[in-house]
Amino acid sequence: AEHQHARYNPLRDDWVLVSAHRVKRPWQGQLEKPPPEDVPRWDPKNPLCPGATRANGEVNPQYEGTFVFPNDFPALQPDAPEPDDSDHPLFRAAPARGVCKVMCFHPWSDLTLPLMSLPEIRAVIDAWAELATDLGASYPWVQIFENKGAMMGCSNPHPHCQVWASSFLPNEARLEDRTQRQHLSQHGVPMLLEYAEQEARRKERLVVENADWLVVVPYWATWPYQTLLLPRRHVCRLQDLSDSERDNLASIMQRLLIKYDNLFEVSFPYSMGWHGAPTGPYLEEDCRHWQLHAHYYPPLLRSATVRKFMVGYEMLAQVQRDLTPEQAAERLRSLPEVHYKKRAE
């Protein structure tokens, strides 16, 4: 807790430098602007709102729940041409095809997941699972991710996420596939199933838990209040969850995200995403080494206006964090589970 040391991340096969004493240093650097609190519930100029016109001229339906549509500016397209052959091994290229979709969680722009009801969050989970099934029928990887807040690159104040399906396994997927496969081969148990059992017993990094799920600040966390959401049973893919597991997932997501917002009493920014066994041609292969999980990467460090920067040493040498995962978990764990905006109700 007081002295610097390095911790091994078996999921990424790398190390993180923990320097807990650095959080005591005075801060004279950049201060972020807190997110606006006066977001209108409906704005005809907001392209994600019901009935609004998007950049391509299409008009959104008057949706009342979740709403999925093709990204108007996709990073991946299904009909991209093959790249030219390389004349040297240092200049390689490969085909990259896919589809990109946007999913709105709710018709109201002034809501976020922690302020939505459990049935509304459950509807989001069901929509995620449906997209993972539909796109995963043909694509090897379906990446569901949410960038929340302008600090994390979100350009639109409306509750939504993105889903990118690709013809290839992205870097993080290939890395986690290798490390989890090696762990199962060497130890006879899926890595993250064993890890969840260990963290449930030790409890020092536990944030919230219920009958089917637990959330921890991982032992190897990089970001200050990074968390890992894990199922208790062995499950490979989001679409494999039972009804009760989906209900309990909605509950634990709400509890975690309320704690995040309560930490600095601000709509907490983060990037999150689901990782599970590959799909497409991998549906016919043995993927027992995989365990479904979600990563949450929030940037805030000391307050709503002071963030952690991954620059300099982190980019050129090794990632480094400024407080221990145990300290971060204790702080999150101790926060109330009633949202700060609802305490006066």
Side-chain angles (χ1 to χ4, degrees), residues 129-313:
E130 183 177 352
L131 282 168
T133 300
D134 292 347
L135 296 173
S138 53
Y139 286 102
W141 189 255
V142 180
Q143 184 59 65
I144 298 167
F145 64 98
E146 179 193 5
N147 295 325
K148 179 171 177 267
M151 197 181 301
M152 297 309 291
C154 180
S155 60
N156 193 296
H158 190 95
H160 72 286
C161 72
Q162 298 188 56
V163 183
W164 294 10
S166 61
S167 62
F168 55 91
L169 288 188
N171 293 342
E172 291 297 311
R174 287 191 294 110
L175 182 56
E176 289 193 3
D177 184 73
R178 175 176 65 81
T179 57
Q180 290 180 98
R181 188 184 299 275
Q182 288 175 345
H183 188 93
L184 180 65
S185 175
Q186 294 171 3
H187 302 281
V189 60
M191 178 199 295
L192 291 181
L193 181 62
E194 182 178 9
Y195 179 68
E197 292 170 350
Q198 286 288 321
E199 290 287 30
R201 180 174 61 82
R202 296 169 185 257
K203 296 192 181 301
E204 58 187 328
R205 285 170 295 274
L206 189 66
V207 178
V208 287
E209 62 179 330
N210 62 27
D212 294 312
W213 299 88
L214 67 155
V215 175
V216 300
V217 177
Y219 177 79
W220 52 79
T222 298
W223 294 92
Y225 293 97
Q226 175 181 335
T227 55
L228 185 63
L229 172 56
L230 295 162
R232 291 186 184 273
R233 78 169 176 100
H234 185 206
V235 54
C236 290
R237 299 178 178 92
L238 192 65
Q239 52 268 45
D240 299 333
L241 296 174
S242 67
D243 277 345
S244 62
E245 286 171 329
R246 294 185 188 198
D247 285 341
N248 279 332
L249 175 56
S251 174
I252 205 164
M253 283 175 54
Q254 185 188 63
R255 293 169 63 196
L256 169 65
L257 298 180
I258 286 174
K259 285 180 178 287
Y260 269 163
D261 281 9
N262 285 345
L263 179 60
F264 299 129
E265 295 198 347
V266 69
S267 185
F268 205 69
Y270 58 74
S271 284
M272 72 80 64
W274 285 99
H275 284 172
T279 49
Y282 295 90
L283 291 170
E284 304 301 320
E285 296 189 7
D286 184 358
C287 290
R288 288 176 300 160
H289 54 291
W290 269 92
Q291 174 74 331
L292 176 70
H293 58 283
H295 297 282
Y296 284 83
Y297 298 128
L300 293 178
L301 173 58
R302 301 173 182 228
S303 69
T305 60
V306 177
R307 66 179 298 174
K308 167 69 178 178
F309 288 91
M310 291 292 182
V311 295
Y313 188 87

Side-chain angles (χ1 to χ4, degrees), residues 92-106:
R92 295 167 59 191
R97 300 185 180 92
V99 295
C100 299
K101 295 183 179 292
V102 176
M103 183 179 122
C104 296
F105 297 154
H106 195 281

